[in-house]
Amino acid sequence: GNKFEFRMLGSEQSISGPNIALNTIVAEELCQFADKLEKSKNFNKDLQALLQQTLKEHKRIIFNGNGYDESWVAEAEKRGLLNLKSTDAALPHYTDEKNIRLFETHGVYTKLEMESREEAVIEEYYKTLHIEALTMRDMARREILPACLSFERAVADGALAKKQLGLAGGAETRLLTQVSALNDALECAVSTLEEAVEAVPKADAETLAHYYHDEVLPCMDAVRKPSDALERMVGKEYWPFPTYADILFYT
């Protein structure tokens, strides 16, 4: 049989692709069942035997536990199942020989059509990440970092004013230390992201997809971490975008 596991689609994705795959897989399995049962001289007996045989042969794909838990990783490996954790790892399997044979058998796609679709979705994957990386760079470099530096200066002015008046500036000093360190971390992370995007190799689509997943995405995550921390600390009047609270409760 053909074994696929589909997770929830992203909101921007069409359901047509998964539906085509699922319907073709079901058609193939029903054809296999029909080929055996249509020749049966004792339908009920042969049906029960077929069900038992199918369950024994494919029981390893049935899993009723938490497919998102780390324990499933070990379980999938134990069962000899693929556990493709990222889009760049999964997409090249679209044109595996068994998949091409499946779609060609039922007249859904030819090999050439499948190869074209695979190339298109892989290209879409890394180009989308490229756009997102540049967008993140611009948001951090031109909006978030300047706003946070302005907040840092305001806190520093407050701490200095207290010191000049002979007052303890504990709160300002602690906040200034934290914000300053996060601003430094953010600027460093943005620079690293810029370097990763500029270093994109001239290569085929699959290699580029792996590069964006392995090199660019971690840099984007590194930018996100200090940004999220700063959002919880910087004064609302300084922050250049709606906060999560604004989006959830005030829109």
Side-chain angles (χ1 to χ4, degrees), residues 58 71 103 153 168 222 247:
H58 304 295
S71 62
F103 285 109
R153 284 192 296 272
I247 295 171

Side-chain angles (χ1 to χ4, degrees), residues 161-174:
K162 271 194 172 183
K163 183 177 180 180
Q164 290 173 342
L165 292 171
L167 301 174
E172 289 86 351
T173 300
R174 288 192 296 272

Side-chain angles (χ1 to χ4, degrees), residues 12 18 32-33 56 62 64 78 113 131 136 150 158 160 169 189 217 223 239:
E12 81 286 358
Q32 292 181 16
F33 292 161
K56 288 178 181 178
I62 300 174
N64 295 319
K78 179 181 176 182
E113 287 172 333
I131 293 170
M136 173 177 274
S150 295
L160 180 61
L217 266 180
V223 172
W239 195 254

Side-chain angles (χ1 to χ4, degrees), residues 103-141:
F103 285 109
E104 285 193 327
T105 297
H106 293 276
V108 178
Y109 295 134
T110 65
K111 179 180 179 180
L112 181 60
E113 287 172 333
M114 291 185 68
E115 290 173 342
S116 298
R117 280 166 170 76
E118 179 182 275
E119 182 179 352
V121 293
I122 290 177
E123 184 174 314
E124 180 184 21
Y125 171 76
Y126 75 77
K127 286 188 174 180
T128 298
L129 284 181
H130 180 75
I131 293 170
E132 290 178 350
L134 295 181
T135 301
M136 173 177 274
R137 176 203 63 186
D138 289 346
M139 290 175 67
R141 181 72 75 190

Side-chain angles (χ1 to χ4, degrees), residues 46-232:
D46 290 341
L47 174 60
Q48 289 301 315
L50 177 60
L51 292 174
Q52 291 176 12
Q53 178 188 358
T54 302
L55 185 58
K56 288 178 181 178
E57 290 178 352
H58 304 295
K59 186 177 180 180
R60 70 191 184 102
I61 72 171
I62 300 174
F63 181 71
N64 295 319
N66 182 2
Y68 293 91
D69 189 77
E70 282 300 314
S71 62
W72 169 238
V73 177
E75 183 64 26
E77 184 176 355
K78 179 181 176 182
R79 298 182 182 200
L81 300 174
L82 284 176
N83 185 27
L84 304 172
K85 297 182 180 180
S86 61
T87 301
D88 69 302
L91 289 179
H93 287 278
Y94 183 69
T95 52
D96 284 353
E97 183 180 347
K98 66 182 180 66
N99 297 335
I100 294 174
R101 185 168 61 249
L102 169 72
F103 285 109
E104 285 193 327
T105 297
H106 293 276
V108 178
Y109 295 134
T110 65
K111 179 180 179 180
L112 181 60
E113 287 172 333
M114 291 185 68
E115 290 173 342
S116 298
R117 280 166 170 76
E118 179 182 275
E119 182 179 352
V121 293
I122 290 177
E123 184 174 314
E124 180 184 21
Y125 171 76
Y126 75 77
K127 286 188 174 180
T128 298
L129 284 181
H130 180 75
I131 293 170
E132 290 178 350
L134 295 181
T135 301
M136 173 177 274
R137 176 203 63 186
D138 289 346
M139 290 175 67
R141 181 72 75 190
R142 301 174 62 186
E143 301 283 350
I144 297 175
L145 194 55
C148 293
L149 289 172
S150 295
F151 179 73
E152 181 182 335
R153 284 192 296 272
V155 176
D157 290 343
L160 180 61
K162 271 194 172 183
K163 183 177 180 180
Q164 290 173 342
L165 292 171
L167 301 174
E172 289 86 351
T173 300
R174 288 192 296 272
L175 181 59
L176 179 61
T177 300
Q178 295 172 10
V179 171
S180 178
L182 287 170
N183 281 339
D184 289 344
L186 176 58
E187 197 284 326
C188 182
V190 174
S191 295
T192 302
L193 174 61
E194 290 172 334
E195 292 171 1
V197 173
E198 291 172 1
V200 173
K202 293 182 179 179
D204 59 89
E206 186 175 337
T207 300
L208 287 173
H210 292 317
Y211 178 85
Y212 272 89
H213 177 268
D214 297 339
E215 303 297 334
V216 177
L217 266 180
C219 292
M220 295 173 70
D221 290 337
V223 172
R224 176 73 181 269
K225 187 175 180 180
S227 297
D228 284 350
L230 284 163
E231 183 177 348
R232 295 190 294 269

